[in-house]
Amino acid sequence: MSGFVEKPEPIQVPGLVHLHTGKVRDLYQNEAGDLVMVASDRMSAYDWVLPTEIPDKGRVLTQLSLWWFDQLRDLAVNHVIGTEVPEGAPADWAGRTLVCKSLKMVPVECVARGYLTGSGLAEYQQSRTVCGLALPEGLVDGSELPAPIFTPATKAEVGEHDENVSYEEVARRIGAETAAQLRQATLAVYSRARDIARERGIILADTKFEFGFDGDTLVLADEVLTPDSSRFWPADTWQPGRAQPSYDKQFVRDWLTSPASGWDRRSEQPPPPLPEEVVAATRQKYVEAYERLTGTPWS
């Protein structure tokens, strides 16, 4: 089993229709037909949405995404219309709300990898490929790839796991022209972001994007280049051949799989609440990623 340990009830706001409750975001539609996306403080790990929230997480994700959208404005059209909190919505929505264009979303997770780790490493160790793309011999966990690669995945429902697929399979599902557009846009945005992060002492190991169409225009959507959607590593401690320290939910994963949690991830039991020290350490990692990338103190 997996999914929500405790699925929240949608907040009812006059003039908004609730569309979807995701792992982190709640999606509404306003009377103008625009989407209202609200980033919660929920935390997911091992395909579970945990019962403990990480304070400020949703605001960090939203504000960091807005910063990145601005950095990428000349490279990719994005879906943001504004950040105004709808009238009648909770005050807590401030700083975590995006009003966005309603798009025809492409059902593909667009993953760019510049370094080998995670599911890509697991496939490489078996076949010397990632999503069917052949890679050189001798790479290890954390190795920089000869060039960034596009490794798409299917988009899973809450409680299910994204599945890597080949580029050819994506082209078969959505058409060769759209697949080519996705690959070009994904690698262009990744390369720009990688260079910006590197200037700030951070390695962008990999990341995933979502795109949709506004008419014939391909639009960058959802969140971008956050610790939830990316692997950020401190450049000064990067050492291929081992797992890298990262700005993400690693504290949560480590505790859940430790004897301290008492949880067996292979069982059908939901994970337990997180202890205060794990919550605090995870929040600090998200805040640190924001501050190092943007150069702005979190407040």
Side-chain angles (χ1 to χ4, degrees):
M1 287 183 61
S2 55
F4 287 92
V5 174
E6 301 168 5
K7 188 169 184 178
E9 287 295 320
I11 295 172
Q12 301 299 319
V13 178
L16 297 186
V17 176
H18 176 260
L19 300 177
H20 179 67
T21 297
K23 292 179 182 178
V24 175
R25 286 167 181 77
D26 297 299
L27 196 61
Y28 298 80
Q29 188 171 47
N30 65 20
E31 291 173 336
D34 304 320
L35 297 183
V36 179
M37 194 165 67
V38 185
S40 74
D41 292 335
R42 295 191 291 269
M43 173 62 76
S44 64
Y46 300 118
D47 298 323
W48 283 96
V49 180
L50 306 179
T52 311
E53 296 188 338
I54 307 297
D56 282 335
K57 177 174 174 280
R59 289 191 177 89
V60 169
L61 299 180
T62 301
Q63 298 308 312
L64 187 54
S65 289
L66 285 168
W67 184 84
W68 278 115
F69 280 134
D70 193 52
Q71 307 304 306
L72 303 165
R73 189 173 300 277
D74 64 314
L75 201 60
V77 177
N78 68 69
H79 68 158
V80 178
I81 296 172
T83 59
E84 185 174 346
V85 176
E87 187 174 344
D92 182 61
W93 281 21
R96 59 175 80 242
T97 299
L98 294 179
V99 181
C100 306
K101 295 176 185 175
S102 182
L103 305 173
K104 182 181 179 182
M105 297 301 295
V106 183
V108 176
E109 292 277 4
C110 295
V111 180
R113 302 176 192 266
Y115 293 75
L116 186 63
T117 194
S119 62
L121 174 66
E123 180 184 332
Y124 173 82
Q125 289 173 333
Q126 289 186 333
S127 61
R128 297 297 182 265
T129 63
V130 176
C131 288
L133 296 173
L135 293 175
E137 293 283 343
L139 301 180
V140 295
D141 192 356
S143 288
E144 184 172 9
L145 301 177
I149 57 176
F150 176 61
T151 59
T154 57
K155 186 168 173 55
E157 296 298 320
V158 175
E160 298 179 7
H161 201 66
D162 295 344
E163 181 182 351
N164 292 345
V165 293
S166 69
Y167 177 78
E168 290 72 21
E169 176 62 17
V170 169
R172 187 188 68 79
R173 293 186 187 187
I174 66 173
E177 183 177 348
T178 301
Q181 281 185 276
L182 292 181
R183 179 167 61 184
Q184 188 278 330
T186 297
L187 293 177
V189 173
Y190 169 81
S191 297
R192 167 74 63 82
R194 175 201 59 196
D195 294 347
I196 291 172
R198 187 177 288 160
E199 292 170 359
R200 290 154 172 79
I202 291 179
I203 289 172
L204 174 58
D206 56 38
T207 192
K208 64 180 178 180
F209 303 115
E210 291 192 40
F211 291 92
F213 279 96
D214 180 14
D216 294 330
T217 303
L218 188 67
V219 178
L220 185 58
D222 198 46
E223 65 174 331
V224 288
L225 297 154
T226 72
D228 266 16
S229 65
S230 315
R231 283 188 177 92
F232 293 119
W233 299 336
D236 57 0
T237 60
W238 173 56
Q239 184 181 326
R242 62 171 175 81
Q244 312 297 317
S246 58
Y247 297 97
D248 61 11
K249 60 184 80 171
Q250 198 58 47
F251 286 110
V252 172
R253 295 191 192 100
D254 289 347
W255 183 79
L256 286 172
T257 55
S258 73
S261 76
W263 181 59
D264 180 359
R265 61 178 290 201
R266 295 162 297 186
S267 73
E268 294 192 355
Q269 294 302 309
L274 302 174
E276 289 182 8
E277 63 270 19
V278 172
V279 171
T282 302
R283 178 189 180 278
Q284 182 53 38
K285 277 296 175 188
Y286 277 72
V287 168
E288 186 180 348
Y290 173 87
E291 291 182 336
R292 289 197 64 175
L293 287 165
T294 68
T296 306
W298 179 255
S299 59

